[in-house]
Amino acid sequence: MHISFMTVSIPLDVDTMLEIKALIQEVSMEDKENYTSLLSIDELTDYHLKGFCVLAYNDESDRLIGLATAIDRVATSDFEWSAVVLPSFRRKGIGDQLVKELIRNLELRGAETDLAITPETAEAGQHLLTKLGYTHDFSERTMGANAEITSVSNDIKIIPYKDEESAVIEVLVSAFGDTEEEARELIAFNTITPNRQLIVALMDNNVVGTVSLVDDSDKLWVTGLAVHERARGLGVATALLNWSKNEAYLLGKTFVYLDVETDNETALSIYMKAGFQTIQHTHFYRKG
């Protein structure tokens, strides 16, 4: 059996996407994992996204049997990546070759950092990453809720971002510990990328929170939810989540998704009270 590897930059063409979706459907059914989300499949045709894929083909059948995707969402040379191989072709060293080819391409592209993402159930993948010098960095839950009309507190006004840059920077620095420059770059990214929208929450006409929405096929992703320390415990996060569910419903979406680190117990409690349920557990590994 001879395997060929091919590296292609995002966006991918229609024929390649058909091959990838067929592969992901088969692997997801076998492993009972959401590989569409894990490998960011719905984003691979986005002209505004920086990244690449490594494809593994069985030359005898000309069939796609393995895939690795690497994405630099904020264009800072910081990549997140994951990989998958058809179950019937595992334990043949193909996964090792696929990942090594991806790492080679990361080096060629001058990656500043890279985070490898693997499902909690993928013990073989975690072992491979350890063998390649990666160490566990943190874990996340992907959570989802139905898009629906939900009430929002009358004390909190939620509007699209306009020109509140300095106030939003203050929220991001307070909530995440970002530098002002990092916060400014995040605001710029979420306001110039077509499928993203930056939202702010006001109390007494003061910006107290923010969230970014990502339009992704039949679902809406919530990311970068931040509340200023002076407004915590006042229902700002819940209001932003409920507003996001409303927005998803009005846009004709089915679900609202978000990711949260598993050790962030405060955020987990807020999300669960807002109707979000865990869909998937993932681990992130960083090169040691």
Side-chain angles (χ1 to χ4, degrees):
M1 179 177 62
H2 188 268
I3 307 299
S4 295
F5 295 89
M6 177 187 304
T7 301
V8 292
S9 295
I10 298 171
L12 304 188
D13 60 68
V14 174
D15 290 340
T16 303
M17 284 301 301
L18 289 174
E19 291 181 314
I20 287 175
K21 287 181 178 179
L23 169 69
I24 295 304
Q25 182 178 19
E26 184 173 346
V27 177
S28 295
M29 289 180 63
E30 181 76 20
D31 291 354
K32 303 296 188 293
E33 289 286 353
N34 183 6
Y35 287 108
T36 296
S37 174
L38 193 71
L39 284 97
S40 304
I41 301 303
D42 292 333
E43 300 178 72
L44 300 181
T45 55
D46 188 345
Y47 283 85
H48 301 90
L49 196 63
K50 181 180 178 182
F52 64 93
C53 300
V54 180
L55 310 171
Y57 287 92
N58 179 2
D59 288 346
E60 296 174 6
S61 60
D62 194 29
R63 182 187 183 191
L64 182 66
I65 61 169
L67 167 71
T69 63
I71 294 178
D72 173 14
R73 284 191 172 81
V74 196
T76 54
S77 296
D78 300 307
F79 288 83
E80 290 185 358
W81 63 268
S82 192
V84 70
V85 175
L86 274 175
S88 57
F89 286 87
R90 293 171 186 169
R91 303 184 187 278
K92 300 179 185 294
I94 296 170
D96 296 50
Q97 297 176 63
L98 187 67
V99 170
K100 288 176 180 177
E101 184 65 17
L102 179 136
I103 292 173
R104 186 181 72 83
N105 275 276
L106 287 172
E107 293 171 351
L108 288 173
R109 285 164 169 78
E112 293 289 336
T113 61
D114 70 279
L115 277 174
I117 311 171
T118 182
E120 185 177 48
T121 56
E123 294 181 4
Q126 295 165 35
H127 176 73
L128 172 60
L129 289 170
T130 301
K131 186 172 69 174
L132 292 172
Y134 285 77
T135 57
H136 179 262
D137 193 37
F138 63 94
S139 298
E140 277 188 350
R141 293 191 198 187
T142 297
M143 305 182 75
N146 291 327
E148 59 186 1
I149 297 297
T150 308
S151 62
V152 177
S153 172
N154 293 328
D155 296 330
I156 302 169
K157 183 180 180 181
I158 299 176
I159 60 173
Y161 172 89
K162 292 181 181 178
D163 55 2
E164 304 89 353
E165 183 181 62
S166 60
V168 173
I169 287 174
E170 185 180 338
V171 170
L172 293 172
V173 170
S174 171
F176 299 141
D178 290 351
T179 65
E180 290 190 8
E181 183 57 32
E182 288 172 334
R184 190 172 287 108
E185 289 177 356
L186 185 60
I187 292 170
F189 175 71
N190 283 307
T191 52
I192 66 174
T193 306
N195 65 334
R196 288 177 174 260
Q197 184 181 19
L198 187 61
I199 304 298
V200 297
L202 308 175
M203 293 186 74
D204 298 325
N205 291 320
N206 295 313
V207 175
V208 293
T210 182
V211 72
S212 299
L213 304 181
V214 184
D215 191 333
D216 180 14
S217 187
D218 66 337
K219 51 189 174 289
L220 199 68
W221 281 88
V222 169
T223 182
L225 194 157
V227 177
H228 197 288
E229 58 187 355
R230 68 170 178 263
R232 289 173 190 163
L234 300 179
V236 178
T238 299
L240 285 166
L241 291 170
N242 286 339
W243 189 93
S244 301
K245 290 195 286 184
N246 288 338
E247 184 71 3
Y249 181 86
L250 294 174
L251 291 171
K253 308 296 182 183
T254 306
F255 300 105
V256 181
Y257 282 178
L258 56 82
D259 290 324
V260 57
E261 292 189 28
T262 54
D263 60 357
N264 191 341
E265 296 182 1
T266 300
L268 282 169
S269 176
I270 292 171
Y271 298 152
M272 287 189 288
K273 287 179 181 177
F276 285 80
Q277 297 181 341
T278 299
I279 297 170
Q280 187 175 42
H281 291 264
T282 52
H283 297 309
F284 288 73
Y285 284 74
R286 190 182 296 273
K287 195 67 176 285

